[in-house]
PDB file of all heavy atoms in Angstrom:
ATOM      1  N   ARG A 110      84.113 112.168  75.003  1.00  0.00           N
ATOM      2  CA  ARG A 110      83.688 111.153  75.893  1.00  0.00           C
ATOM      3  C   ARG A 110      84.892 110.510  76.580  1.00  0.00           C
ATOM      4  O   ARG A 110      86.079 110.755  76.134  1.00  0.00           O
ATOM      5  CB  ARG A 110      82.958 110.034  75.073  1.00  0.00           C
ATOM      6  CG  ARG A 110      83.747 109.490  73.980  1.00  0.00           C
ATOM      7  CD  ARG A 110      83.007 108.478  73.062  1.00  0.00           C
ATOM      8  NE  ARG A 110      82.645 107.354  73.902  1.00  0.00           N
ATOM      9  CZ  ARG A 110      81.384 106.835  74.008  1.00  0.00           C
ATOM     10  NH1 ARG A 110      80.403 107.496  73.420  1.00  0.00           N
ATOM     11  NH2 ARG A 110      81.149 105.762  74.674  1.00  0.00           N
ATOM     12  N   ASP A 112      85.883 106.609  77.976  1.00  0.00           N
ATOM     13  CA  ASP A 112      85.420 105.158  78.084  1.00  0.00           C
ATOM     14  C   ASP A 112      86.279 104.407  79.095  1.00  0.00           C
ATOM     15  O   ASP A 112      85.785 103.434  79.630  1.00  0.00           O
ATOM     16  CB  ASP A 112      85.532 104.490  76.728  1.00  0.00           C
ATOM     17  CG  ASP A 112      84.702 105.213  75.719  1.00  0.00           C
ATOM     18  OD1 ASP A 112      83.488 105.005  75.695  1.00  0.00           O
ATOM     19  OD2 ASP A 112      85.256 105.998  74.881  1.00  0.00           O
ATOM     20  N   MET A 156      81.207 108.792  82.902  1.00  0.00           N
ATOM     21  CA  MET A 156      80.891 107.566  82.111  1.00  0.00           C
ATOM     22  C   MET A 156      79.398 107.346  82.164  1.00  0.00           C
ATOM     23  O   MET A 156      78.821 106.736  81.213  1.00  0.00           O
ATOM     24  CB  MET A 156      81.672 106.374  82.661  1.00  0.00           C
ATOM     25  CG  MET A 156      83.117 106.430  82.319  1.00  0.00           C
ATOM     26  SD  MET A 156      84.016 105.059  83.172  1.00  0.00           S
ATOM     27  CE  MET A 156      85.668 105.355  82.590  1.00  0.00           C
ATOM     28  N   THR A 157      78.715 107.678  83.245  1.00  0.00           N
ATOM     29  CA  THR A 157      77.244 107.438  83.279  1.00  0.00           C
ATOM     30  C   THR A 157      76.521 108.223  82.126  1.00  0.00           C
ATOM     31  O   THR A 157      75.391 107.959  81.798  1.00  0.00           O
ATOM     32  CB  THR A 157      76.602 107.782  84.650  1.00  0.00           C
ATOM     33  OG1 THR A 157      77.087 109.063  85.008  1.00  0.00           O
ATOM     34  CG2 THR A 157      77.047 106.764  85.703  1.00  0.00           C
ATOM     35  N   ARG A 158      77.246 109.215  81.565  1.00  0.00           N
ATOM     36  CA  ARG A 158      76.661 110.012  80.483  1.00  0.00           C
ATOM     37  C   ARG A 158      76.847 109.316  79.148  1.00  0.00           C
ATOM     38  O   ARG A 158      76.245 109.744  78.117  1.00  0.00           O
ATOM     39  CB  ARG A 158      77.263 111.443  80.390  1.00  0.00           C
ATOM     40  CG  ARG A 158      76.969 112.215  81.650  1.00  0.00           C
ATOM     41  CD  ARG A 158      77.495 113.673  81.464  1.00  0.00           C
ATOM     42  NE  ARG A 158      77.530 114.291  82.734  1.00  0.00           N
ATOM     43  CZ  ARG A 158      78.580 115.054  83.169  1.00  0.00           C
ATOM     44  NH1 ARG A 158      79.622 115.162  82.393  1.00  0.00           N
ATOM     45  NH2 ARG A 158      78.539 115.564  84.375  1.00  0.00           N
ATOM     46  N   ASN A 159      77.700 108.303  79.051  1.00  0.00           N
ATOM     47  CA  ASN A 159      77.900 107.582  77.794  1.00  0.00           C
ATOM     48  C   ASN A 159      76.693 106.809  77.396  1.00  0.00           C
ATOM     49  O   ASN A 159      76.061 106.157  78.269  1.00  0.00           O
ATOM     50  CB  ASN A 159      79.131 106.662  77.978  1.00  0.00           C
ATOM     51  CG  ASN A 159      80.462 107.319  78.061  1.00  0.00           C
ATOM     52  OD1 ASN A 159      80.560 108.553  77.743  1.00  0.00           O
ATOM     53  ND2 ASN A 159      81.491 106.669  78.531  1.00  0.00           N
ATOM     54  N   GLU A 160      76.405 106.725  76.128  1.00  0.00           N
ATOM     55  CA  GLU A 160      75.421 105.715  75.648  1.00  0.00           C
ATOM     56  C   GLU A 160      76.060 104.333  75.823  1.00  0.00           C
ATOM     57  O   GLU A 160      77.267 104.153  75.593  1.00  0.00           O
ATOM     58  CB  GLU A 160      75.186 105.992  74.145  1.00  0.00           C
ATOM     59  CG  GLU A 160      74.282 107.088  73.846  1.00  0.00           C
ATOM     60  CD  GLU A 160      72.818 106.867  74.419  1.00  0.00           C
ATOM     61  OE1 GLU A 160      72.366 105.782  74.272  1.00  0.00           O
ATOM     62  OE2 GLU A 160      72.347 107.870  75.090  1.00  0.00           O
ATOM     63  N   PRO A 161      75.276 103.352  76.287  1.00  0.00           N
ATOM     64  CA  PRO A 161      75.896 102.015  76.475  1.00  0.00           C
ATOM     65  C   PRO A 161      76.345 101.472  75.063  1.00  0.00           C
ATOM     66  O   PRO A 161      75.723 101.728  74.095  1.00  0.00           O
ATOM     67  CB  PRO A 161      74.717 101.180  76.992  1.00  0.00           C
ATOM     68  CG  PRO A 161      73.685 102.072  77.326  1.00  0.00           C
ATOM     69  CD  PRO A 161      73.882 103.437  76.636  1.00  0.00           C
ATOM     70  N   ARG A 162      77.454 100.736  75.133  1.00  0.00           N
ATOM     71  CA  ARG A 162      77.949 100.054  73.903  1.00  0.00           C
ATOM     72  C   ARG A 162      77.078  98.776  73.727  1.00  0.00           C
ATOM     73  O   ARG A 162      76.209  98.512  74.533  1.00  0.00           O
ATOM     74  CB  ARG A 162      79.372  99.628  74.099  1.00  0.00           C
ATOM     75  CG  ARG A 162      80.276 100.833  74.274  1.00  0.00           C
ATOM     76  CD  ARG A 162      81.777 100.533  74.221  1.00  0.00           C
ATOM     77  NE  ARG A 162      82.402 101.818  73.969  1.00  0.00           N
ATOM     78  CZ  ARG A 162      82.630 102.421  72.809  1.00  0.00           C
ATOM     79  NH1 ARG A 162      82.326 101.761  71.704  1.00  0.00           N
ATOM     80  NH2 ARG A 162      83.194 103.576  72.727  1.00  0.00           N
ATOM     81  N   SER A 166      78.149  98.025  78.114  1.00  0.00           N
ATOM     82  CA  SER A 166      79.115  98.770  78.871  1.00  0.00           C
ATOM     83  C   SER A 166      79.194 100.230  78.658  1.00  0.00           C
ATOM     84  O   SER A 166      79.082 100.739  77.515  1.00  0.00           O
ATOM     85  CB  SER A 166      80.570  98.205  78.520  1.00  0.00           C
ATOM     86  OG  SER A 166      81.555  99.122  78.941  1.00  0.00           O
ATOM     87  N   ARG A 167      79.271 101.016  79.762  1.00  0.00           N
ATOM     88  CA  ARG A 167      79.370 102.499  79.601  1.00  0.00           C
ATOM     89  C   ARG A 167      80.807 102.898  79.977  1.00  0.00           C
ATOM     90  O   ARG A 167      81.178 104.069  79.716  1.00  0.00           O
ATOM     91  CB  ARG A 167      78.456 103.152  80.606  1.00  0.00           C
ATOM     92  CG  ARG A 167      77.030 103.258  80.159  1.00  0.00           C
ATOM     93  CD  ARG A 167      76.380 104.353  80.965  1.00  0.00           C
ATOM     94  NE  ARG A 167      75.093 104.754  80.393  1.00  0.00           N
ATOM     95  CZ  ARG A 167      73.892 104.265  80.762  1.00  0.00           C
ATOM     96  NH1 ARG A 167      73.862 103.369  81.756  1.00  0.00           N
ATOM     97  NH2 ARG A 167      72.823 104.709  80.263  1.00  0.00           N
TER      98      ARG A 167
END
Side-chain angles (χ1 to χ4, degrees):
R110 56 184 295 124
D112 302 281
M156 288 172 180
T157 47
R158 297 188 196 132
N159 290 341
E160 281 300 313
R162 298 192 164 272
S166 161
R167 280 199 166 95

